[in-house]
């Protein structure tokens, strides 16, 4: 992994869109694979079922999370309290954090109609958690 991160880092900022595309692609794929094995179509899933799937995937990669729903389901606060990629992120914070934020964004966008997705706190910047502000259409 270290060599891959060195390679990606050497591409420079003009190629940072590649990191985002790869992260989003993998986030979408993980969700789509789970949905393809489900007994009903995604359109039939309610909010809680979608969040249960998202949390299942988050936990499978090692995230300890908390989700808060505000404004009748239109705004979510998603927090990650640990980083399973801490060692890589300490050496390559920009690449690792960008890819994992894109991964989460891709997963959320597969499940919901997302109108805003932004990281508001980051553990590599001495915050207690990585926090994301997500607006969805209900």
């Amino acid at each position: 992994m270290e060599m891959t991160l060195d390679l990606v880092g050497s591409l420079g900022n003009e190629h940072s869109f590649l990191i985002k595309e790869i992260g989003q692609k993998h986030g979408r794929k993980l969700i789509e694979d789970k949905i393809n094995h489900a007994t009903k179509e995604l359109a039939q899933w309610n909010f809680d079922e979608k969040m249960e799937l998202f949390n299942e995937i988050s936990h499978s990669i090692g995230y300890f999370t908390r989700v808060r729903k505000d404004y009748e389901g239109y705004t979510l606060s998603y927090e990650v309290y640990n980083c399973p990629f801490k060692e890589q992120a300490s050496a390559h914070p920009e690449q690792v954090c960008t890819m994992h934020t894109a991964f989460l964004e891709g997963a959320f966008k597969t499940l919901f109609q997302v109108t805003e997705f932004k990281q508001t706190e980051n553990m590599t910047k001495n915050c207690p958690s990585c926090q994301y502000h997500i607006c969805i259409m209900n």
Side-chain angles (χ1 to χ4, degrees):
M1 178 138 187
E2 189 71 26
M3 290 183 347
T4 303
L5 290 169
D6 285 341
L7 172 65
V8 169
S10 72
L11 295 174
N13 287 338
E14 65 274 7
H15 292 93
S16 65
F17 72 94
L18 291 172
I19 296 170
K20 290 178 185 177
E21 284 182 11
I22 291 167
Q24 285 187 357
K25 175 184 171 185
H26 285 277
R28 281 191 308 271
K29 183 174 178 351
L30 220 62
I31 294 290
E32 288 168 352
D33 287 349
K34 290 282 189 178
I35 291 169
N36 289 337
H37 291 96
T39 57
K40 61 183 178 179
E41 298 289 322
L42 180 62
Q44 298 170 322
W45 293 35
N46 64 34
F47 176 86
D48 291 332
E49 290 170 320
K50 291 176 182 180
M51 284 308 304
E52 186 177 322
L53 173 61
F54 183 82
N55 284 326
E56 176 186 324
I57 287 171
S58 293
H59 293 175
S60 75
I61 59 174
Y63 288 145
F64 299 124
T65 63
R66 181 176 78 172
V67 177
R68 288 182 310 202
K69 182 168 82 167
D70 300 320
Y71 307 111
E72 298 182 21
Y74 292 100
T75 303
L76 302 174
S77 175
Y78 179 76
E79 295 178 72
V80 177
Y81 290 101
N82 70 312
C83 181
F85 311 102
K86 184 176 16 179
E87 289 179 26
Q88 294 89 356
S90 65
H92 303 278
E94 188 65 31
Q95 294 87 359
V96 172
C97 294
T98 297
M99 185 169 291
H100 289 110
T101 297
F103 171 86
L104 295 171
E105 184 176 9
F108 265 104
K109 285 184 173 181
T110 303
L111 291 168
F112 301 102
Q113 186 178 349
V114 176
T115 59
E116 181 180 3
F117 188 100
K118 67 180 178 181
Q119 187 177 51
T120 57
E121 291 187 11
N122 186 316
M123 285 187 277
T124 64
K125 296 177 181 166
N126 296 320
C127 295
S129 66
C130 288
Q131 194 169 102
Y132 301 88
H133 174 82
I134 306 154
C135 296
I136 62 170
M137 299 294 292
N138 204 6

